[in-house]
Amino acid sequence: MMSKQSILSVRSIGHSAIEAVLRLGYATRFIALTLLHSGTSFRRPRLIIRELYFTGALSLIIILVSGLFVGMVLGLQGYQTLQTYGSESALGVLVALSLVRELGPVVSALLFASRAGSAMTAEIGLMKATEQLSAMEMMAVDPIARVVAPRFWAGIISMPLLAAMFSAMGVFGGYLVGVVLIGVDEGSFWSQMQSAVDFREDILNGVIKSCVFGLAVTWIALFEGYDAPPTAEGVSGATTRTVVTSSLAILGLDFLLTSFMFRGV
Amino acid sequence: MATENLVEISGVSFAYGRRPILTGIDMVIPRGKVVAIMGISGSGKTTLLRLIGGVMKPGQGQVRVDGRLTHELDQDGIYGMRRRMGMLFQFGALFTDLSVFDNVAFQMREHTDLPERMIRDLVLMKLHAVGLRGAAQLMPSELSGGMARRVALARAMALDPMLMMYDEPFTGLDPISLGVISNLIRNLNDVLGATSIVVTHDVHEALEIVDYVYYLSDGKMVAHGTPDEMRASTDPLVHQFVHGESDGPVAFQYPSASFSSELRLGARHDV
């Protein structure tokens, strides 16, 4: 016969599963409402521009600096490996393809989740805890339309732009290390990159990835904030969940998207 | 035609899940009056306010505001009704990313097409009424608790509402701010020709300024009357509440097992 302990643990697994499905339902309803109430944001673009500044412009420094370092590391590591096969002139291709296909969208999305995503969750969670969202509702202003939707669209718009900046900065970092420091031939660095990187196959797919990541991170961050229990503990837990869930979502989605986009072609 | 009572509540019951919060509440709020809803914490006062604001719908009974049943209104109808209501939250609930000026201007910008110059004049008038015209450019983080409450009051009455609702407006204020807020509640009500509902457990301040009191206990309406009637009430609950006695029908001890069994006094004797 099953002991009481094992019955309880089975019950708690079931409870967590039901809870997870319910939250997924709430999150879907939340994004549907956000899309439905996005009209205000587009009628008053100032609302989006303001959020673009907070989520996009203020994330720029961390994105640029990280991009530079990632590019420099790629330059060093790539040179080390390519040199073994005597093909160090392909360094530009390696740096650029790694960045636009994978590292640009993925690393910038991870940074975006921890910089802008956590801030969005904490801000909305605190607005809820301090009754600012209830006050807005009592003033006949829909918080989804006024607070959530502008942040949602700002996240979707800024993510691909940030990923592009990250990749550009990374290529520059690879150039600094490969060409300026190590002395790889500058002509072959750039010309091989130009001929090997395809606009549709590589750049466009990278942009699509970063759009999807932007949607995932912003959706998770806003939902966690809106759904956070209105206490200090609730908001801090929600902020942590935003970073953890969006990081996992980014990496999982990256695998899915990569397997659709680059099937060994 | 306007009814005599702005708010009419009849036979209202409300529960969160299976936990009943309000049971069989009847009350009327006449136009132009300041009415207090009193009771100890957890007696269902704030829930009643939310029912009047249309945030929640009653499980049973009716809430009628300005002649319209709230549970029959859709989202647009509720929002339309709320544009003519102002609510002061317990700790102000000012938008922390907006200045004092922008907080007061918020509703005017959201709901009207008034030119910015007119909004500026109106906001300054509202801030002047609460004595904080000079603080227009400050951020909420730079205000004291009492000032924040006054700014929130100016924001709540930005569109000259027909009904003002105050949720615990006196909590956590120093005696001077407390006097200022209570005078403002009374004076603004009379000057604007509004109707006010004050949810509070601050007996002395409230009895000074209100016209009528409803007393809630455990989700039921146990007494009502004018402030003088409440002061003279012989109802044990009301008497304990008005005179702030620590023990009475509302017990000092939270329901618990017997003290001696909790300390295992019996067990010790056995050893």
Side-chain angles (χ1 to χ4, degrees):
Chain A
M1 218 176 100
M2 281 175 94
S3 69
K4 196 180 174 193
Q5 193 69 37
S6 53
I7 291 175
L8 280 179
S9 56
V10 169
R11 185 188 287 176
S12 81
I13 293 172
H15 186 74
S16 317
I18 291 172
E19 194 69 17
V21 173
L22 271 178
R23 267 177 72 78
L24 196 63
Y26 288 141
T28 311
R29 184 172 171 271
F30 175 78
I31 193 144
L33 278 175
T34 306
L35 294 173
L36 209 65
H37 291 96
S38 290
T40 314
S41 304
F42 293 106
R43 274 194 301 278
R44 293 162 62 186
R46 259 170 190 241
L47 292 175
I48 298 185
I49 292 170
R50 184 175 180 278
E51 297 310 324
L52 271 177
Y53 172 75
F54 286 111
T55 49
L58 292 184
S59 305
L60 210 52
I61 294 290
I62 187 176
I63 292 283
L64 291 180
V65 174
S66 314
L68 184 69
F69 282 124
V70 168
M72 284 161 72
V73 169
L74 271 179
L76 280 176
Q77 294 280 14
Y79 179 77
Q80 202 73 26
T81 313
L82 291 173
Q83 189 198 30
T84 322
Y85 306 102
S87 51
E88 58 267 31
S89 57
L91 184 66
V93 182
L94 182 135
V95 170
L97 283 184
S98 317
L99 281 165
V100 294
R101 282 183 174 187
E102 284 299 327
L103 291 170
V106 172
V107 180
S108 58
L110 290 172
L111 291 169
F112 184 75
S114 39
R115 162 68 183 71
S118 59
M120 271 187 219
T121 305
E123 190 188 14
I124 293 186
L126 280 173
M127 284 181 87
K128 186 179 174 192
T130 53
E131 293 190 308
Q132 293 180 45
L133 296 184
S134 307
M136 208 173 266
E137 249 185 294
M138 279 309 294
M139 286 189 244
V141 176
D142 183 3
I144 299 255
R146 182 64 173 68
V147 176
V148 174
R151 283 167 175 75
F152 176 75
W153 289 107
I156 300 233
I157 295 169
S158 53
M159 189 63 256
L161 298 174
L162 288 172
M165 298 296 282
F166 183 96
S167 297
M169 210 57 194
V171 168
F172 178 66
Y175 166 81
L176 269 187
V177 167
V179 177
V180 179
L181 288 182
I182 301 176
V184 172
D185 180 56
E186 186 171 359
S188 56
F189 182 90
W190 291 118
S191 64
Q192 289 208 22
M193 189 191 296
Q194 267 185 349
S195 58
V197 177
D198 183 64
F199 179 74
R200 207 200 67 80
E201 186 73 12
D202 301 315
I203 296 184
L204 208 59
N205 277 342
V207 171
I208 292 173
K209 274 187 177 182
S210 58
C211 288
V212 174
F213 298 159
L215 170 79
V217 173
T218 321
W219 178 13
I220 291 169
L222 292 172
F223 176 68
E224 286 291 354
Y226 205 77
D227 191 50
T231 59
E233 199 186 5
V235 175
S236 81
T239 313
T240 311
R241 272 200 306 281
T242 289
V243 178
V244 174
T245 319
S246 9
S247 304
L248 289 175
I250 290 163
L251 297 171
L253 282 170
D254 184 45
F255 171 70
L256 273 181
L257 289 170
T258 307
S259 56
F260 279 115
M261 289 169 173
F262 307 100
R263 282 170 294 186
V265 186
Chain B
M1 192 184 145
T3 47
E4 187 194 342
N5 298 318
L6 185 60
V7 180
E8 289 174 352
I9 295 174
S10 52
V12 161
S13 297
F14 181 83
Y16 282 119
R18 286 184 194 164
R19 192 161 59 97
I21 304 291
L22 296 170
T23 324
I25 303 286
D26 291 300
M27 78 194 266
V28 291
I29 316 267
R31 286 178 193 275
K33 302 287 183 195
V34 180
V35 174
I37 301 175
M38 288 192 182
I40 57 166
S41 308
S43 55
K45 309 185 295 290
T46 304
T47 306
L48 196 50
L49 216 52
R50 288 184 178 174
L51 287 171
I52 297 170
V55 179
M56 298 175 307
K57 292 183 175 167
Q60 279 173 11
Q62 300 180 335
V63 177
R64 200 181 280 273
V65 179
D66 200 23
R68 301 176 76 185
L69 290 170
T70 56
H71 67 265
E72 285 181 353
L73 296 173
D74 58 4
Q75 176 88 343
D76 288 342
I78 290 280
Y79 273 10
M81 183 182 82
R82 285 189 197 153
R83 284 183 201 192
R84 298 190 295 142
M85 289 179 172
M87 179 149 174
L88 180 70
F89 283 79
Q90 192 167 357
F91 294 103
L94 292 176
F95 302 130
T96 41
D97 57 336
L98 300 180
S99 69
V100 165
F101 182 95
D102 292 333
N103 261 287
V104 181
F106 185 81
Q107 257 183 306
M108 300 177 193
R109 288 179 178 147
E110 293 291 327
H111 294 316
T112 69
D113 293 322
L114 293 174
E116 202 54 32
R117 278 184 60 187
M118 190 178 285
I119 288 181
R120 180 181 171 276
D121 293 349
L122 285 171
V123 170
L124 291 181
M125 281 161 65
K126 300 291 174 192
L127 283 173
H128 188 76
V130 297
L132 289 174
R133 190 164 38 85
Q137 295 313 322
L138 296 182
M139 293 303 285
S141 57
E142 298 171 281
L143 304 175
S144 69
M147 286 164 82
R149 211 72 61 92
R150 277 148 75 185
V151 173
L153 183 50
R155 184 181 69 174
M157 58 170 200
L159 295 182
D160 295 336
M162 62 174 180
L163 175 65
M164 281 292 296
M165 296 191 280
Y166 301 89
D167 188 6
E168 305 283 6
F170 309 121
T171 309
L173 292 182
D174 63 79
I176 300 173
S177 305
L178 208 140
V180 169
I181 291 284
S182 65
N183 283 333
L184 279 172
I185 291 175
R186 181 76 242 185
N187 295 339
L188 289 172
N189 186 75
D190 298 344
V191 170
L192 293 174
T195 305
S196 301
I197 304 173
V198 186
V199 158
T200 182
H201 44 228
D202 201 310
V203 182
H204 299 289
E205 283 305 323
L207 291 185
E208 290 300 316
I209 59 160
V210 302
D211 300 307
Y212 204 77
V213 178
Y214 285 96
Y215 183 80
L216 279 182
S217 175
D218 248 349
K220 296 188 186 74
M221 184 73 68
V222 291
H224 54 94
T226 62
D228 286 336
E229 287 168 355
M230 295 304 272
R231 284 192 193 97
S233 173
T234 51
D235 182 296
L237 264 173
V238 178
H239 186 84
Q240 184 191 2
F241 186 79
V242 170
H243 297 90
E245 291 159 356
S246 61
D247 218 349
V250 180
F252 169 68
Q253 287 289 345
Y254 187 77
S256 49
S258 109
F259 197 28
S260 54
S261 69
E262 197 105 64
L263 296 179
R264 297 185 181 174
L265 290 180
R268 198 176 293 172
H269 286 304
D270 294 342
V271 173

